[in-house]
Amino acid sequence: MARPTPELIYALRQTAQNLQHGAPYQWGHMGGCNCGNLAQQLTKLNKQQIHQYAMQRHGDWNEQAEDYCSTSEMPIDLLINEMLNAGLVLEDIKHLERLDDRQVLLRFPLEQRYLKHNVRQDVIAYMNAWADLLEEELLEKITLPSMEALEMA
């Protein structure tokens, strides 16, 4: 599971909001699918640029993650590297494309856990649930000083 970073949490929420407000969505397009929309937010590249980079190698996002090489100078690997630097791990890319991360799905009531990977509203719900999960994990790691410590300072 991803490292909970403010950048990633913001990107997930902003991507969900963009999709909610009509951002182009096309599951079969590398720049306009689930991962493509998040990649747009994290990298500031547009969907055409992302698609062009991805088409320089074969496969969908799952295969791109499998073939990822951290030392490659291929544009898609540089793009994936930016996504990883924001807190993602390669498995997150695979899960996002299929909306199937167990930890995220457990946040939904049982009857709502069967999300369709290519349905805009399901992608929005998944991204928001994932952002909530990561935010909770991040907040658990934050320790504020006690009042006594502040008064002694």
Side-chain angles (χ1 to χ4, degrees):
M1 173 65 65
R3 277 182 299 109
T5 66
E7 177 186 12
L8 180 55
I9 294 164
Y10 173 80
L12 286 165
R13 290 193 198 288
Q14 189 62 52
T15 303
Q17 184 176 3
N18 292 347
L19 288 168
Q20 186 69 46
H21 290 98
Y25 178 75
Q26 183 181 354
W27 191 79
H29 188 282
M30 293 292 289
C33 60
N34 307 353
C35 289
N37 272 281
L38 181 60
Q40 287 180 54
Q41 187 65 42
L42 287 171
T43 67
K44 305 306 179 209
L45 296 170
N46 65 43
K47 77 179 218 171
Q48 289 77 20
Q49 291 169 307
I50 294 167
H51 188 75
Q52 179 183 1
Y53 292 168
M55 292 296 102
Q56 292 177 19
R57 191 164 59 204
H58 74 284
D60 61 11
W61 278 99
N62 187 62
E63 292 167 306
Q64 298 287 358
E66 287 288 331
D67 294 340
Y68 167 74
C69 175
S70 63
T71 59
S72 163
E73 291 296 318
M74 287 195 72
I76 190 66
D77 287 332
L78 297 173
L79 183 152
I80 291 172
N81 194 52
E82 280 189 60
M83 296 173 76
L84 299 178
N85 287 339
L88 292 173
V89 296
L90 290 172
E91 289 301 310
D92 293 324
I93 292 171
K94 297 175 189 180
H95 289 306
L96 176 57
E97 202 55 20
R98 293 289 177 187
L99 305 182
D100 66 0
D101 185 280
R102 183 168 160 66
Q103 285 182 273
V104 176
L105 293 175
L106 287 173
R107 300 185 70 80
F108 292 93
L110 186 59
E111 66 276 3
Q112 294 177 9
R113 289 183 190 164
Y114 300 99
L115 302 177
K116 293 189 182 198
H117 65 273
N118 58 354
V119 173
R120 178 189 296 261
Q121 284 308 122
D122 287 354
V123 176
I124 293 166
Y126 184 93
M127 286 189 180
N128 281 322
W130 190 13
D132 290 345
L133 174 66
L134 292 174
E135 183 176 18
E136 288 169 15
E137 289 177 5
L138 182 62
L139 291 174
E140 285 176 12
K141 294 179 178 185
I142 296 173
T143 306
L144 297 175
S146 67
M147 288 304 293
E148 294 82 31
L150 290 174
E151 290 171 359
M152 293 173 59

